[in-house]
Amino acid sequence: MNRFWSSVVHTLTPYVPGEQPKQTDLVKLNTNENPYPPSPKALLAMSKEAADTLRLYPDPNADRLKQTLASYYGVKSEQVFVGNGSDEVLAHTFLALLKHDLPLLFPDISYSFYPVYCGLYDITYQTVPLNSQFEIDPADYQLPNGAIIFPNPNAPTGRLLPLSVVESMVQQQSNSVVVVDEAYIDFGGESAIALVDKYPNLLVIQTLSKSRSLAGLRVGFAIGHVELIEALERVKNSFNSYPLDRFAISGAVAAFEDKAYFTETCQRVMTTRERLADRLTQMGFQVLPSAANFLFVSHPDRDAAELAALLREKAIIVRHFKQTRIEQYLRISIGTDEQTERLLNALSAIFN
Ligand SMILES: *Cc1c(COP(=O)(O)O)cnc(C)c1O
């Protein structure tokens, strides 16, 4: 509390990101970063940006990146919005498209940044419980609403809604904007971007932080009908003309151009995920089916918070959420095969 603060600041409850420890010898499986480095072509493109042209502002519209994304996904450039990480894209989306008289709906177990944006922009919302299998059931969203947002695959559960089910929801909710946050879609899902030309109420948001190993670069994007994108551009141009710097634009373009590297690293993550899921199941864990680069697991005989603390003592960090319904679960990011072995060895030691 401070008398110089604007009144809104007193009421904010900011998002708390997963720990980024200074200690470097840890097996870091807590924030869903990709264990593989970015494409070497992306690194090269960025190194070329360290030049005298840095005295000039970057392209405020990041046209080169929008064109790259548009041709990659088979849409028009005016259907693409880019921002400083998908968190910024989400923030602009909440203000531009999700603030209505009727409540915004999102799942009770979901990305914990959503209620934070609602607090920041004074948006009324209502959470919709996942079913007992931790699935999103579109029938539960047939409530009066101003808009809907959910991640697919959902976080932190990893559960995927098939594209046909996403489509039926977008169809049913034709009077509401439906935002699908596809931060993890490249690890086994089918993107709803394929549907944006059919549904003017659909906005799809993605990030380069997970499947393209560029969490440190901060690039995210949204694809939808030109009029939804226009709303985002209005907010962006009332906030920051240059959210993407020269490194981000060049690195993101090169990352999308290197499809072979992207396909190979995603495949490796998915292979390791299935192997880890099998091994954890053998150890007695309940493992939710995951289409993301993490597993959401619980053990009937072990307290999740205690397990996280014991792993931490062995220099392995995983994510535990102190939240009702999921306090007995751990979210474990998929690492390299070597990190996975270290995790499994540590768990064996704890169980014996
Ligand atoms: C990681 C994540 C994001 C944010 O990604 P950035 O692009 O790094 O800001 C958005 N939504 C969900 C569900 C995520 O898990």
Side-chain angles (χ1 to χ4, degrees), residues 225-242:
H225 190 280
V226 283
E227 286 181 23
L228 299 184
I229 300 304
E230 168 65 19
L232 296 176
E233 295 289 355
R234 284 187 184 206
V235 169
K236 174 255 174 187
N237 288 317
S238 307
F239 181 82
N240 179 2
S241 304
Y242 308 102

Side-chain angles (χ1 to χ4, degrees), residues 85-87 90 111 114 151 155 181 183-184 207-210 218-220:
S86 63
D87 284 342
L90 284 165
Y111 188 33
Y114 299 161
D181 178 355
Y184 302 102
T207 174
L208 279 72
S209 295
K210 279 64 182 240
R218 313 306 303 130
V219 184

